[in-house]
């Protein structure tokens, strides 16, 4: 029967019950959830993201389960970028009344699936009727121990620039979907195209990678949500430094090159400007943490090289590729 029910037919209580069934937690069900502090000398970390149907996801491309996975990945990436451990999730959904109840339950199921490897749970939220489907996810986390959080302003001259995860895969997946027009139309006999599409629809974040980087002495960190150049530019701007990336370290791999040939795209554009990979990006003056690779160096913003390259382009982020301004610099704009 639930397969045929809409949210309006189910009503608020039954919709919430469907969410709790899909993402079970003993902490969910009261006016608010009470979370235990699990580590000594810990601090709370929180982050909120919003996904709007038609802008951040499209059911022609993504299954509702994948939308839930994607929502958790982008929120937990923000928590991990601080070097913290995700502990819980709050979900708020604004939904049209004619949306199938199963769609809401599947989104919650994806949230549960993506949060479970972190021992995190969906512990509460809200449901409201609206014209458009909007998903708001709040991620909570803990920063254990006295070491500072990994912030945008921690990069220093001489640091290595480090990255953990794919770069350009999500943008390639989106380009493939747009080229073929729907998920079903993507060739089933091409495993590379299928992999890239899956990465766009449901990216995954390796568990504890940001926490490992903090423990290893990383100095700054963010995640690749809006594009490599744009997100590294945040670190460069906040730290008042110049970040110089080595092209050989970020060059499109064989999968990206194959996709570019299939859809007529530019693999370098995907790497430099494509977001939503949620690759962790940072800097360190110690050893490269496990699971990361070095992709460049932090240089002085006032060095002659930087002055020669940027000249009067003061509105550009101080991010270089092989000592020159990158070919592509645009990224995702929320507004």
């Amino acid at each position: 029967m639930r397969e045929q029910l809409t949210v309006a037919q189910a009503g608020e209580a039954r919709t919430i019950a469907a969410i709790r069934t899909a993402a079970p937690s003993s902490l969910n069900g009261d006016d608010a959830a009470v979370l235990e502090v699990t580590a000594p000398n810990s601090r709370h970390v929180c982050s909120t993201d919003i996904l709007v149907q038609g802008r951040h996801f499209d059911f022609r491309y993504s299954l509702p389960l994948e939308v839930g996975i994607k929502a958790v990945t982008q929120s937990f990436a923000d928590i991990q970028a601080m070097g913290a451990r995700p502990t819980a999730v709050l979900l708020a959904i604004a939904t049209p009344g004619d949306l199938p109840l199963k769609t809401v339950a599947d989104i919650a199921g994806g949230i549960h699936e993506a949060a479970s490897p972190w021992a995190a749970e969906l512990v509460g939220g809200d449901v409201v009727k609206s014209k458009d489907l909007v998903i708001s996810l709040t991620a909570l986390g803990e920063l254990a121990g006295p070491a500072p959080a990994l912030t945008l302003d921690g990069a220093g001259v001489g640091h290595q620039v480090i990255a953990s995860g794919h770069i350009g895969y999500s943008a390639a997946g989106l380009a493939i979907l747009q080229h073929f027009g729907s998920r079903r139309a993507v060739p089933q006999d091409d495993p590379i195209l299928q992999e890239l599409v899956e990465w766009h629809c449901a990216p995954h974040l390796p568990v504890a990678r940001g926490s490992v980087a903090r423990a290893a002495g990383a100095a700054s960190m963010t995640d690749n949500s809006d594009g490599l150049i744009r997100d590294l530019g945040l670190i460069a701007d906040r730290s008042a430094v110049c970040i110089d990336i080595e092209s050989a370290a970020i060059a499109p791999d064989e999968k990206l090159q194959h996709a570019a040939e299939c859809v007529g795209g530019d693999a370098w554009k995907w790497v430099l400007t494509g977001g939503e990979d949620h690759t962790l990006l940072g800097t360190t003056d110690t050893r490269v943490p496990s699971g990361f690779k070095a992709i460049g160096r932090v240089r002085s913003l006032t060095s002659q090289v930087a002055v020669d390259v940027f000249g009067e382009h003061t509105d550009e982020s101080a991010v270089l590729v092989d000592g020159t301004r990158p070919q592509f610099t645009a990224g995702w704009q929320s507004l």
Side-chain angles (χ1 to χ4, degrees):
M1 182 63 180
R2 197 186 73 179
E3 297 277 345
Q4 302 172 357
L5 274 181
T6 66
V7 170
Q9 291 169 334
E12 180 180 4
R14 194 165 179 179
T15 299
I16 292 173
I19 292 172
R20 292 183 61 201
T21 299
S25 171
S26 60
L27 300 175
N28 190 359
D30 216 312
D31 292 319
V34 179
L35 306 180
E36 299 290 339
V37 176
T38 60
N41 194 24
S42 64
R43 287 154 284 171
H44 295 296
V45 181
C46 56
S47 176
T48 297
D49 283 293
I50 295 176
L51 290 85
V52 180
Q53 184 179 6
R55 180 164 174 80
H56 301 100
F57 65 92
D58 189 324
F59 286 137
R60 291 179 303 163
Y61 302 157
S62 303
L63 299 171
L65 181 85
E66 293 173 325
V67 173
I69 292 172
K70 188 172 189 174
V72 170
T73 298
Q74 69 178 38
S75 293
F76 280 13
D78 289 335
I79 300 295
Q80 275 280 277
M82 305 300 292
R85 179 180 72 85
T87 56
V89 182
L90 297 169
L91 169 67
I93 294 184
T95 175
D98 61 357
L99 187 75
L101 181 62
K102 185 179 185 302
T103 299
V104 174
D106 285 349
I107 292 172
I111 291 171
H112 180 71
E113 179 178 318
S116 292
W118 302 82
E121 297 179 344
L122 177 59
V123 298
D126 195 16
V127 176
V128 64
K129 187 177 179 180
S130 75
K131 179 180 177 182
D132 301 308
L133 177 59
V134 179
I135 300 167
S136 177
L137 207 72
T138 298
L140 307 176
E142 285 183 356
L143 194 68
L150 301 179
T151 55
L152 294 169
D153 59 1
V157 175
H159 286 190
Q160 291 189 91
V161 183
I162 56 176
S164 174
H166 297 303
I167 301 176
Y169 274 35
S170 180
L174 177 58
I176 293 165
L177 288 165
Q178 291 174 333
H179 176 80
F180 288 100
S182 70
R183 183 76 166 269
R184 182 176 298 180
V186 178
Q188 297 296 314
D189 59 351
D190 192 321
I192 292 177
L193 297 187
Q194 290 293 331
E195 178 184 349
L196 295 174
V197 164
E198 289 174 7
W199 189 259
H200 171 73
C201 294
H204 288 269
L205 186 68
V207 173
R209 198 63 59 85
S211 303
V212 167
R214 176 170 172 259
S220 66
M221 189 158 288
T222 189
D223 75 294
N224 180 17
S225 56
D226 296 331
L228 181 68
I229 300 302
R230 184 178 296 276
D231 287 317
L232 284 177
L234 293 175
I235 294 179
D237 291 345
R238 290 286 296 275
S239 299
V241 295
C242 176
I243 290 179
D244 195 355
I245 303 303
E246 299 173 4
S247 61
I250 61 169
D253 62 17
E254 294 181 356
K255 294 178 181 178
L256 293 180
Q257 293 173 19
H258 171 74
E261 292 175 0
C262 290
V263 304
D266 191 318
W268 270 107
K269 187 174 183 179
W270 296 337
V271 167
L272 296 176
T273 68
E276 296 192 331
D277 285 312
H278 302 295
T279 301
L280 294 180
L281 308 167
T283 69
T284 183
D285 62 352
T286 61
R287 68 186 186 278
V288 176
S290 175
F292 285 77
K293 66 177 181 178
I295 63 170
R297 284 280 179 182
V298 179
R299 304 168 70 171
S300 171
L301 185 60
T302 59
S303 69
Q304 189 60 48
V305 172
V307 172
D308 290 344
V309 170
F310 290 104
E312 297 180 358
H313 296 270
T314 56
D315 59 332
E316 292 190 15
S317 296
V319 180
L320 310 175
V321 176
D322 294 336
T324 64
R325 281 208 303 272
Q327 180 183 3
F328 303 104
T329 59
W332 172 259
Q333 291 277 13
S334 294
L335 297 175

PDB file of all heavy atoms in Angstrom, residues 69-101:
ATOM      1  N   ILE A  69      22.188   9.435  -0.151  1.00  0.00           N
ATOM      2  CA  ILE A  69      23.621   9.188  -0.008  1.00  0.00           C
ATOM      3  C   ILE A  69      24.417  10.450  -0.310  1.00  0.00           C
ATOM      4  O   ILE A  69      25.347  10.819   0.415  1.00  0.00           O
ATOM      5  CB  ILE A  69      24.057   8.038  -0.941  1.00  0.00           C
ATOM      6  CG1 ILE A  69      23.457   6.715  -0.471  1.00  0.00           C
ATOM      7  CG2 ILE A  69      25.576   7.939  -1.016  1.00  0.00           C
ATOM      8  CD1 ILE A  69      23.676   5.558  -1.431  1.00  0.00           C
ATOM      9  N   LYS A  70      24.034  11.129  -1.389  1.00  0.00           N
ATOM     10  CA  LYS A  70      24.735  12.350  -1.791  1.00  0.00           C
ATOM     11  C   LYS A  70      24.613  13.427  -0.720  1.00  0.00           C
ATOM     12  O   LYS A  70      25.582  14.147  -0.437  1.00  0.00           O
ATOM     13  CB  LYS A  70      24.153  12.845  -3.113  1.00  0.00           C
ATOM     14  CG  LYS A  70      24.904  13.993  -3.749  1.00  0.00           C
ATOM     15  CD  LYS A  70      24.347  14.270  -5.142  1.00  0.00           C
ATOM     16  CE  LYS A  70      25.207  15.249  -5.905  1.00  0.00           C
ATOM     17  NZ  LYS A  70      24.745  15.416  -7.303  1.00  0.00           N
ATOM     18  N   ALA A  71      23.438  13.545  -0.122  1.00  0.00           N
ATOM     19  CA  ALA A  71      23.223  14.556   0.910  1.00  0.00           C
ATOM     20  C   ALA A  71      24.145  14.324   2.105  1.00  0.00           C
ATOM     21  O   ALA A  71      24.738  15.265   2.640  1.00  0.00           O
ATOM     22  CB  ALA A  71      21.763  14.550   1.356  1.00  0.00           C
ATOM     23  N   VAL A  72      24.275  13.078   2.519  1.00  0.00           N
ATOM     24  CA  VAL A  72      25.151  12.754   3.650  1.00  0.00           C
ATOM     25  C   VAL A  72      26.608  12.985   3.279  1.00  0.00           C
ATOM     26  O   VAL A  72      27.382  13.548   4.069  1.00  0.00           O
ATOM     27  CB  VAL A  72      24.941  11.298   4.111  1.00  0.00           C
ATOM     28  CG1 VAL A  72      26.017  10.880   5.104  1.00  0.00           C
ATOM     29  CG2 VAL A  72      23.564  11.154   4.746  1.00  0.00           C
ATOM     30  N   THR A  73      27.005  12.566   2.097  1.00  0.00           N
ATOM     31  CA  THR A  73      28.400  12.707   1.686  1.00  0.00           C
ATOM     32  C   THR A  73      28.838  14.161   1.710  1.00  0.00           C
ATOM     33  O   THR A  73      29.902  14.495   2.243  1.00  0.00           O
ATOM     34  CB  THR A  73      28.609  12.123   0.278  1.00  0.00           C
ATOM     35  OG1 THR A  73      28.304  10.729   0.300  1.00  0.00           O
ATOM     36  CG2 THR A  73      30.057  12.307  -0.173  1.00  0.00           C
ATOM     37  N   GLN A  74      28.024  15.061   1.157  1.00  0.00           N
ATOM     38  CA  GLN A  74      28.447  16.453   1.123  1.00  0.00           C
ATOM     39  C   GLN A  74      28.462  17.074   2.516  1.00  0.00           C
ATOM     40  O   GLN A  74      29.323  17.921   2.815  1.00  0.00           O
ATOM     41  CB  GLN A  74      27.578  17.263   0.173  1.00  0.00           C
ATOM     42  CG  GLN A  74      26.149  17.491   0.596  1.00  0.00           C
ATOM     43  CD  GLN A  74      25.403  18.361  -0.415  1.00  0.00           C
ATOM     44  OE1 GLN A  74      25.591  18.235  -1.622  1.00  0.00           O
ATOM     45  NE2 GLN A  74      24.554  19.241   0.070  1.00  0.00           N
ATOM     46  N   SER A  75      27.556  16.655   3.380  1.00  0.00           N
ATOM     47  CA  SER A  75      27.542  17.202   4.738  1.00  0.00           C
ATOM     48  C   SER A  75      28.676  16.641   5.586  1.00  0.00           C
ATOM     49  O   SER A  75      29.340  17.368   6.328  1.00  0.00           O
ATOM     50  CB  SER A  75      26.194  16.916   5.402  1.00  0.00           C
ATOM     51  OG  SER A  75      25.157  17.625   4.762  1.00  0.00           O
ATOM     52  N   PHE A  76      28.906  15.333   5.475  1.00  0.00           N
ATOM     53  CA  PHE A  76      29.982  14.714   6.251  1.00  0.00           C
ATOM     54  C   PHE A  76      31.347  15.155   5.754  1.00  0.00           C
ATOM     55  O   PHE A  76      32.319  15.186   6.523  1.00  0.00           O
ATOM     56  CB  PHE A  76      29.860  13.194   6.194  1.00  0.00           C
ATOM     57  CG  PHE A  76      28.830  12.628   7.156  1.00  0.00           C
ATOM     58  CD1 PHE A  76      27.914  13.449   7.780  1.00  0.00           C
ATOM     59  CD2 PHE A  76      28.781  11.269   7.424  1.00  0.00           C
ATOM     60  CE1 PHE A  76      26.968  12.940   8.662  1.00  0.00           C
ATOM     61  CE2 PHE A  76      27.851  10.749   8.303  1.00  0.00           C
ATOM     62  CZ  PHE A  76      26.936  11.580   8.922  1.00  0.00           C
ATOM     63  N   ALA A  77      31.457  15.498   4.466  1.00  0.00           N
ATOM     64  CA  ALA A  77      32.732  16.014   3.950  1.00  0.00           C
ATOM     65  C   ALA A  77      33.093  17.321   4.646  1.00  0.00           C
ATOM     66  O   ALA A  77      34.269  17.579   4.943  1.00  0.00           O
ATOM     67  CB  ALA A  77      32.647  16.212   2.441  1.00  0.00           C
ATOM     68  N   ASP A  78      32.095  18.158   4.932  1.00  0.00           N
ATOM     69  CA  ASP A  78      32.359  19.398   5.655  1.00  0.00           C
ATOM     70  C   ASP A  78      32.836  19.119   7.076  1.00  0.00           C
ATOM     71  O   ASP A  78      33.724  19.811   7.595  1.00  0.00           O
ATOM     72  CB  ASP A  78      31.091  20.260   5.703  1.00  0.00           C
ATOM     73  CG  ASP A  78      30.741  20.864   4.355  1.00  0.00           C
ATOM     74  OD1 ASP A  78      31.652  21.032   3.524  1.00  0.00           O
ATOM     75  OD2 ASP A  78      29.559  21.170   4.134  1.00  0.00           O
ATOM     76  N   ILE A  79      32.245  18.131   7.715  1.00  0.00           N
ATOM     77  CA  ILE A  79      32.671  17.757   9.070  1.00  0.00           C
ATOM     78  C   ILE A  79      34.098  17.207   9.043  1.00  0.00           C
ATOM     79  O   ILE A  79      34.958  17.583   9.851  1.00  0.00           O
ATOM     80  CB  ILE A  79      31.713  16.714   9.679  1.00  0.00           C
ATOM     81  CG1 ILE A  79      30.275  17.268   9.778  1.00  0.00           C
ATOM     82  CG2 ILE A  79      32.212  16.266  11.049  1.00  0.00           C
ATOM     83  CD1 ILE A  79      30.106  18.429  10.715  1.00  0.00           C
ATOM     84  N   GLN A  80      34.365  16.309   8.087  1.00  0.00           N
ATOM     85  CA  GLN A  80      35.701  15.719   7.977  1.00  0.00           C
ATOM     86  C   GLN A  80      36.753  16.751   7.587  1.00  0.00           C
ATOM     87  O   GLN A  80      37.918  16.642   7.979  1.00  0.00           O
ATOM     88  CB  GLN A  80      35.674  14.590   6.945  1.00  0.00           C
ATOM     89  CG  GLN A  80      35.234  13.258   7.519  1.00  0.00           C
ATOM     90  CD  GLN A  80      36.352  12.557   8.264  1.00  0.00           C
ATOM     91  OE1 GLN A  80      37.177  11.883   7.663  1.00  0.00           O
ATOM     92  NE2 GLN A  80      36.389  12.708   9.584  1.00  0.00           N
ATOM     93  N   ALA A  81      36.369  17.753   6.808  1.00  0.00           N
ATOM     94  CA  ALA A  81      37.313  18.794   6.411  1.00  0.00           C
ATOM     95  C   ALA A  81      37.809  19.611   7.602  1.00  0.00           C
ATOM     96  O   ALA A  81      38.838  20.275   7.516  1.00  0.00           O
ATOM     97  CB  ALA A  81      36.684  19.721   5.372  1.00  0.00           C
ATOM     98  N   MET A  82      37.083  19.553   8.707  1.00  0.00           N
ATOM     99  CA  MET A  82      37.541  20.186   9.945  1.00  0.00           C
ATOM    100  C   MET A  82      38.401  19.238  10.772  1.00  0.00           C
ATOM    101  O   MET A  82      38.909  19.620  11.825  1.00  0.00           O
ATOM    102  CB  MET A  82      36.336  20.635  10.785  1.00  0.00           C
ATOM    103  CG  MET A  82      35.362  21.555  10.071  1.00  0.00           C
ATOM    104  SD  MET A  82      36.104  23.095   9.516  1.00  0.00           S
ATOM    105  CE  MET A  82      36.437  23.903  11.075  1.00  0.00           C
ATOM    106  N   GLY A  83      38.519  17.987  10.311  1.00  0.00           N
ATOM    107  CA  GLY A  83      39.238  16.976  11.074  1.00  0.00           C
ATOM    108  C   GLY A  83      38.384  16.323  12.131  1.00  0.00           C
ATOM    109  O   GLY A  83      38.891  15.626  13.009  1.00  0.00           O
ATOM    110  N   ALA A  84      37.068  16.522  12.050  1.00  0.00           N
ATOM    111  CA  ALA A  84      36.150  16.004  13.056  1.00  0.00           C
ATOM    112  C   ALA A  84      35.483  14.719  12.584  1.00  0.00           C
ATOM    113  O   ALA A  84      35.516  14.379  11.399  1.00  0.00           O
ATOM    114  CB  ALA A  84      35.091  17.054  13.392  1.00  0.00           C
ATOM    115  N   ARG A  85      34.822  14.025  13.521  1.00  0.00           N
ATOM    116  CA  ARG A  85      34.122  12.771  13.224  1.00  0.00           C
ATOM    117  C   ARG A  85      32.617  13.018  13.217  1.00  0.00           C
ATOM    118  O   ARG A  85      32.062  13.489  14.203  1.00  0.00           O
ATOM    119  CB  ARG A  85      34.457  11.717  14.285  1.00  0.00           C
ATOM    120  CG  ARG A  85      33.759  10.374  14.069  1.00  0.00           C
ATOM    121  CD  ARG A  85      34.138   9.394  15.170  1.00  0.00           C
ATOM    122  NE  ARG A  85      33.542   9.725  16.441  1.00  0.00           N
ATOM    123  CZ  ARG A  85      32.326   9.373  16.835  1.00  0.00           C
ATOM    124  NH1 ARG A  85      31.543   8.684  16.018  1.00  0.00           N
ATOM    125  NH2 ARG A  85      31.878   9.706  18.035  1.00  0.00           N
ATOM    126  N   PRO A  86      31.928  12.703  12.102  1.00  0.00           N
ATOM    127  CA  PRO A  86      30.473  12.848  12.084  1.00  0.00           C
ATOM    128  C   PRO A  86      29.815  11.913  13.098  1.00  0.00           C
ATOM    129  O   PRO A  86      30.227  10.763  13.252  1.00  0.00           O
ATOM    130  CB  PRO A  86      30.095  12.445  10.656  1.00  0.00           C
ATOM    131  CG  PRO A  86      31.352  12.584   9.865  1.00  0.00           C
ATOM    132  CD  PRO A  86      32.460  12.247  10.805  1.00  0.00           C
ATOM    133  N   THR A  87      28.795  12.425  13.786  1.00  0.00           N
ATOM    134  CA  THR A  87      28.136  11.619  14.816  1.00  0.00           C
ATOM    135  C   THR A  87      26.631  11.472  14.608  1.00  0.00           C
ATOM    136  O   THR A  87      26.037  10.500  15.082  1.00  0.00           O
ATOM    137  CB  THR A  87      28.364  12.234  16.207  1.00  0.00           C
ATOM    138  OG1 THR A  87      27.905  13.599  16.193  1.00  0.00           O
ATOM    139  CG2 THR A  87      29.839  12.204  16.586  1.00  0.00           C
ATOM    140  N   ALA A  88      25.999  12.423  13.934  1.00  0.00           N
ATOM    141  CA  ALA A  88      24.546  12.361  13.798  1.00  0.00           C
ATOM    142  C   ALA A  88      24.088  13.250  12.652  1.00  0.00           C
ATOM    143  O   ALA A  88      24.829  14.120  12.178  1.00  0.00           O
ATOM    144  CB  ALA A  88      23.857  12.792  15.095  1.00  0.00           C
ATOM    145  N   VAL A  89      22.836  13.023  12.225  1.00  0.00           N
ATOM    146  CA  VAL A  89      22.256  13.772  11.116  1.00  0.00           C
ATOM    147  C   VAL A  89      20.838  14.202  11.484  1.00  0.00           C
ATOM    148  O   VAL A  89      20.086  13.437  12.092  1.00  0.00           O
ATOM    149  CB  VAL A  89      22.184  12.910   9.829  1.00  0.00           C
ATOM    150  CG1 VAL A  89      21.612  13.724   8.679  1.00  0.00           C
ATOM    151  CG2 VAL A  89      23.549  12.367   9.464  1.00  0.00           C
ATOM    152  N   LEU A  90      20.474  15.425  11.108  1.00  0.00           N
ATOM    153  CA  LEU A  90      19.102  15.915  11.190  1.00  0.00           C
ATOM    154  C   LEU A  90      18.605  16.174   9.776  1.00  0.00           C
ATOM    155  O   LEU A  90      19.337  16.733   8.945  1.00  0.00           O
ATOM    156  CB  LEU A  90      19.034  17.208  12.009  1.00  0.00           C
ATOM    157  CG  LEU A  90      19.435  17.108  13.486  1.00  0.00           C
ATOM    158  CD1 LEU A  90      19.570  18.502  14.085  1.00  0.00           C
ATOM    159  CD2 LEU A  90      18.415  16.294  14.261  1.00  0.00           C
ATOM    160  N   LEU A  91      17.368  15.783   9.501  1.00  0.00           N
ATOM    161  CA  LEU A  91      16.807  15.900   8.161  1.00  0.00           C
ATOM    162  C   LEU A  91      15.533  16.732   8.193  1.00  0.00           C
ATOM    163  O   LEU A  91      14.632  16.463   8.973  1.00  0.00           O
ATOM    164  CB  LEU A  91      16.482  14.508   7.606  1.00  0.00           C
ATOM    165  CG  LEU A  91      15.642  14.442   6.325  1.00  0.00           C
ATOM    166  CD1 LEU A  91      16.417  15.008   5.142  1.00  0.00           C
ATOM    167  CD2 LEU A  91      15.190  13.006   6.062  1.00  0.00           C
ATOM    168  N   ALA A  92      15.472  17.733   7.323  1.00  0.00           N
ATOM    169  CA  ALA A  92      14.242  18.489   7.116  1.00  0.00           C
ATOM    170  C   ALA A  92      13.881  18.400   5.642  1.00  0.00           C
ATOM    171  O   ALA A  92      14.726  18.635   4.775  1.00  0.00           O
ATOM    172  CB  ALA A  92      14.417  19.939   7.541  1.00  0.00           C
ATOM    173  N   ILE A  93      12.626  18.047   5.364  1.00  0.00           N
ATOM    174  CA  ILE A  93      12.160  17.917   3.984  1.00  0.00           C
ATOM    175  C   ILE A  93      10.942  18.806   3.767  1.00  0.00           C
ATOM    176  O   ILE A  93       9.967  18.719   4.510  1.00  0.00           O
ATOM    177  CB  ILE A  93      11.783  16.459   3.648  1.00  0.00           C
ATOM    178  CG1 ILE A  93      13.011  15.553   3.680  1.00  0.00           C
ATOM    179  CG2 ILE A  93      11.150  16.380   2.273  1.00  0.00           C
ATOM    180  CD1 ILE A  93      12.716  14.119   3.266  1.00  0.00           C
ATOM    181  N   ALA A  94      11.031  19.656   2.748  1.00  0.00           N
ATOM    182  CA  ALA A  94       9.861  20.381   2.252  1.00  0.00           C
ATOM    183  C   ALA A  94       9.439  19.671   0.973  1.00  0.00           C
ATOM    184  O   ALA A  94      10.233  19.551   0.037  1.00  0.00           O
ATOM    185  CB  ALA A  94      10.213  21.839   1.975  1.00  0.00           C
ATOM    186  N   THR A  95       8.219  19.164   0.929  1.00  0.00           N
ATOM    187  CA  THR A  95       7.832  18.268  -0.159  1.00  0.00           C
ATOM    188  C   THR A  95       6.459  18.594  -0.736  1.00  0.00           C
ATOM    189  O   THR A  95       5.540  18.967   0.000  1.00  0.00           O
ATOM    190  CB  THR A  95       7.823  16.799   0.337  1.00  0.00           C
ATOM    191  OG1 THR A  95       7.330  15.942  -0.693  1.00  0.00           O
ATOM    192  CG2 THR A  95       6.981  16.636   1.578  1.00  0.00           C
ATOM    193  N   PRO A  96       6.311  18.450  -2.056  1.00  0.00           N
ATOM    194  CA  PRO A  96       4.967  18.538  -2.635  1.00  0.00           C
ATOM    195  C   PRO A  96       4.085  17.421  -2.086  1.00  0.00           C
ATOM    196  O   PRO A  96       4.573  16.322  -1.790  1.00  0.00           O
ATOM    197  CB  PRO A  96       5.226  18.355  -4.134  1.00  0.00           C
ATOM    198  CG  PRO A  96       6.672  18.679  -4.336  1.00  0.00           C
ATOM    199  CD  PRO A  96       7.363  18.262  -3.081  1.00  0.00           C
ATOM    200  N   GLY A  97       2.813  17.686  -1.990  1.00  0.00           N
ATOM    201  CA  GLY A  97       1.902  16.694  -1.439  1.00  0.00           C
ATOM    202  C   GLY A  97       1.760  15.451  -2.290  1.00  0.00           C
ATOM    203  O   GLY A  97       1.456  14.369  -1.772  1.00  0.00           O
ATOM    204  N   ASP A  98       1.987  15.582  -3.604  1.00  0.00           N
ATOM    205  CA  ASP A  98       1.814  14.424  -4.478  1.00  0.00           C
ATOM    206  C   ASP A  98       3.068  13.583  -4.628  1.00  0.00           C
ATOM    207  O   ASP A  98       3.094  12.635  -5.401  1.00  0.00           O
ATOM    208  CB  ASP A  98       1.316  14.867  -5.860  1.00  0.00           C
ATOM    209  CG  ASP A  98       2.290  15.807  -6.570  1.00  0.00           C
ATOM    210  OD1 ASP A  98       3.322  16.173  -5.972  1.00  0.00           O
ATOM    211  OD2 ASP A  98       2.006  16.176  -7.735  1.00  0.00           O
ATOM    212  N   LEU A  99       4.123  13.919  -3.885  1.00  0.00           N
ATOM    213  CA  LEU A  99       5.336  13.093  -3.926  1.00  0.00           C
ATOM    214  C   LEU A  99       5.043  11.738  -3.285  1.00  0.00           C
ATOM    215  O   LEU A  99       4.466  11.671  -2.195  1.00  0.00           O
ATOM    216  CB  LEU A  99       6.473  13.777  -3.165  1.00  0.00           C
ATOM    217  CG  LEU A  99       7.849  13.090  -3.286  1.00  0.00           C
ATOM    218  CD1 LEU A  99       8.452  13.371  -4.656  1.00  0.00           C
ATOM    219  CD2 LEU A  99       8.793  13.577  -2.185  1.00  0.00           C
ATOM    220  N   PRO A 100       5.408  10.640  -3.943  1.00  0.00           N
ATOM    221  CA  PRO A 100       5.166   9.324  -3.337  1.00  0.00           C
ATOM    222  C   PRO A 100       5.864   9.191  -1.986  1.00  0.00           C
ATOM    223  O   PRO A 100       7.023   9.594  -1.830  1.00  0.00           O
ATOM    224  CB  PRO A 100       5.752   8.360  -4.366  1.00  0.00           C
ATOM    225  CG  PRO A 100       5.687   9.090  -5.665  1.00  0.00           C
ATOM    226  CD  PRO A 100       5.953  10.531  -5.316  1.00  0.00           C
ATOM    227  N   LEU A 101       5.172   8.609  -1.048  1.00  0.00           N
ATOM    228  CA  LEU A 101       5.757   8.379   0.275  1.00  0.00           C
ATOM    229  C   LEU A 101       7.013   7.528   0.169  1.00  0.00           C
ATOM    230  O   LEU A 101       7.981   7.729   0.915  1.00  0.00           O
ATOM    231  CB  LEU A 101       4.728   7.704   1.188  1.00  0.00           C
ATOM    232  CG  LEU A 101       5.182   7.413   2.623  1.00  0.00           C
ATOM    233  CD1 LEU A 101       5.523   8.695   3.360  1.00  0.00           C
ATOM    234  CD2 LEU A 101       4.091   6.634   3.360  1.00  0.00           C
TER     235      LEU A 101
END
